[in-house]
């Protein structure tokens, strides 16, 4: 009777493993939304816990069959053969579910990391847009233009590492068919805004550099002119002090 019960327990265990494999490993999952992906991760975590909890039952079966084999070798031998099959299938199921759980957790981590990089770069784009707007309607002063140019250039000196991460993470998920529509939409919107703002910022940078160059040249010309006027004023004052007749002065002084 005990052998019959153990045989029944082995059959039930095998049936449960078959159902678990169908439910957790043979489904054709499609992750088209973050909610679906998150739910799949949580489901696989529960599956892993469920499968590992059966380890106690498997151990009890193993111990009971060993004990029976010492008392009734003939019955125990047959059950030991079935037990080995169950143990092998159970270990395989554990490994596969652990592997799938780990994979889904990695995919979820990849998605969260992508969102974090997108948030960082979006904040940078907002800052860049603000600096570009600050270059409009500047007072016609050299210091104001120079400060605006330096401020814009400091934002433009932004490393491309984050954008590289966004591209690689997004492509990895899309290639796996995971959240591909959502990610493609996000990347398209981000890249379009990046290209537009970068082009506008570089154009403003070039315009400010040209404006600054022109203002510096004008300032230099005014300074030279001012120095010449001061020298001329000094000479005229000297001539007047010495009561020099106008026709005796150099042509430029006349």
């Amino acid at each position: 009777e005990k052998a019959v019960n153990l045989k029944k327990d082995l059959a039930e265990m095998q049936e449960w493993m078959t159902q678990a494999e169908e439910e957790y490993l043979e489904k054709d999952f499609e992750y088209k939304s973050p909610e679906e992906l998150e739910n799949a991760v949580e489901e696989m975590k529960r599956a892993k816990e469920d499968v590992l909890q059966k380890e106690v039952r498997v151990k009890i079966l193993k111990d009971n069959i060993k004990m029976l084999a010492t008392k009734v070798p003939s019955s125990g031998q047959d059950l030991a053969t079935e037990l080995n099959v169950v143990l092998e299938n159970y270990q395989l199921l554990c490994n596969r579910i652990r592997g799938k759980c780990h994979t889904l957790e990695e995919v979820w981590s990849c998605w969260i990391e992508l969102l974090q990089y997108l948030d960082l770069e979006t904040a940078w784009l907002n800052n860049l847009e603000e600096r570009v707007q600050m270059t409009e309607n500047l007072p016609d002063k050299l210091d104001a233009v120079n400060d605006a140019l330096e401020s814009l250039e400091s934002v433009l000196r932004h490393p491309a590492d984050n954008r590289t991460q966004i591209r690689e993470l997004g492509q990895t998920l899309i290639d796996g068919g995971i959240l591909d529509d959502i990610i493609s939409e996000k990347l398209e919107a981000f890249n379009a805004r990046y290209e537009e703002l970068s082009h506008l910022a570089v154009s403003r940078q070039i315009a400010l550099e040209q404006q600054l160059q022109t203002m510096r040249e004008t300032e230099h010309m005014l300074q030279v002119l001012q120095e010449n006027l001061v020298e001329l004023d000094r000479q005229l004052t000297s001539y007047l002090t010495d009561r020099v007749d106008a026709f005796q002065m150099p042509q430029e002084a006349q």
Side-chain angles (χ1 to χ4, degrees):
E1 184 182 353
K2 189 167 185 179
V4 172
N5 289 335
L6 288 173
K7 190 176 184 67
K8 182 181 176 182
D9 289 342
L10 284 172
E12 289 177 353
M13 187 66 189
Q14 183 59 57
E15 183 181 355
W16 175 84
M17 288 190 293
T18 302
Q19 291 175 350
E21 186 173 353
E22 290 174 354
E23 183 176 356
Y24 300 127
L25 299 174
E26 294 183 1
K27 281 184 183 178
D28 186 19
F29 291 101
E30 286 189 3
Y31 311 113
K32 295 299 181 183
S33 72
E35 292 76 19
E36 288 179 0
L37 177 58
E38 186 174 18
N39 289 337
V41 172
E42 293 304 316
E43 182 180 359
M44 284 310 301
K45 285 181 179 178
R46 289 192 297 270
K48 185 173 73 170
E49 292 174 3
D50 190 20
V51 170
L52 293 178
Q53 283 175 359
K54 297 293 182 182
E55 187 175 2
V56 176
R57 184 180 176 186
V58 171
K59 187 177 185 306
I60 293 173
L61 271 173
K62 184 178 178 180
D63 291 342
N64 287 338
I65 290 172
K66 281 184 177 181
M67 186 179 298
L68 179 65
T70 59
K71 295 179 179 179
V72 187
S74 58
S75 300
Q77 185 62 41
D78 293 339
L79 288 173
T81 302
E82 292 185 34
L83 174 65
N84 288 335
V85 174
V86 169
L87 289 177
E88 184 178 340
N89 291 341
Y90 175 73
Q91 193 59 52
L92 180 61
L93 179 65
C94 287
N95 291 340
R96 291 181 65 191
I97 286 184
R98 278 198 197 98
K100 185 166 184 178
C101 186
H102 177 72
T103 299
L104 283 176
E105 287 176 330
E106 286 291 308
V107 169
W108 178 253
S109 176
C110 189
W111 162 249
I112 295 300
E113 193 175 0
L114 173 63
L115 292 182
Q116 290 171 344
Y117 279 116
L118 279 172
D119 285 344
L120 287 173
E121 288 304 284
T122 298
W124 173 74
L125 285 176
N126 292 341
N127 191 19
L128 179 62
E129 185 174 28
E130 182 181 339
R131 296 300 175 90
V132 170
Q133 290 173 350
M134 288 171 61
T135 64
E136 300 171 0
N137 304 319
L138 290 171
D140 193 21
K141 295 181 179 180
L142 191 146
D143 287 345
V145 175
N146 187 60
D147 289 345
L149 177 59
E150 288 182 353
S151 177
L152 182 59
E153 287 177 338
S154 69
V155 179
L156 283 173
R157 287 193 293 270
H158 183 66
D161 298 354
N162 287 352
R163 293 194 299 280
T164 300
Q165 289 293 330
I166 288 172
R167 183 175 62 254
E168 292 178 353
L169 289 168
Q171 196 60 51
T172 297
L173 291 169
I174 290 172
D175 289 345
I178 298 166
L179 308 179
D180 45 355
D181 291 339
I182 292 176
I183 292 172
S184 295
E185 184 179 338
K186 282 182 174 292
L187 294 187
E188 185 177 348
F190 168 77
N191 289 330
R193 187 177 181 219
Y194 173 80
E195 292 297 329
E196 179 184 1
L197 276 177
S198 296
H199 178 74
L200 178 61
V202 171
S203 297
R204 289 298 300 151
Q205 180 187 22
I206 293 172
L208 287 173
E209 288 172 346
Q210 293 174 343
Q211 182 181 359
L212 192 61
Q213 180 65 23
T214 301
M215 294 177 76
R216 283 172 174 164
E217 291 174 354
T218 301
E219 185 180 66
H220 178 68
M221 291 173 60
L222 289 173
Q223 184 178 355
V224 171
L225 179 59
Q226 181 65 31
E227 290 173 354
N228 289 339
L229 287 174
V230 169
E231 177 61 20
L232 180 59
D233 181 66
R234 186 189 66 77
Q235 290 180 358
L236 289 175
T237 301
S238 174
Y239 292 151
L240 289 172
T241 302
D242 296 341
R243 299 180 179 277
V244 176
D245 187 86
F247 292 105
Q248 295 176 330
M249 293 182 186
Q251 186 67 35
E252 66 273 14
Q254 292 183 28

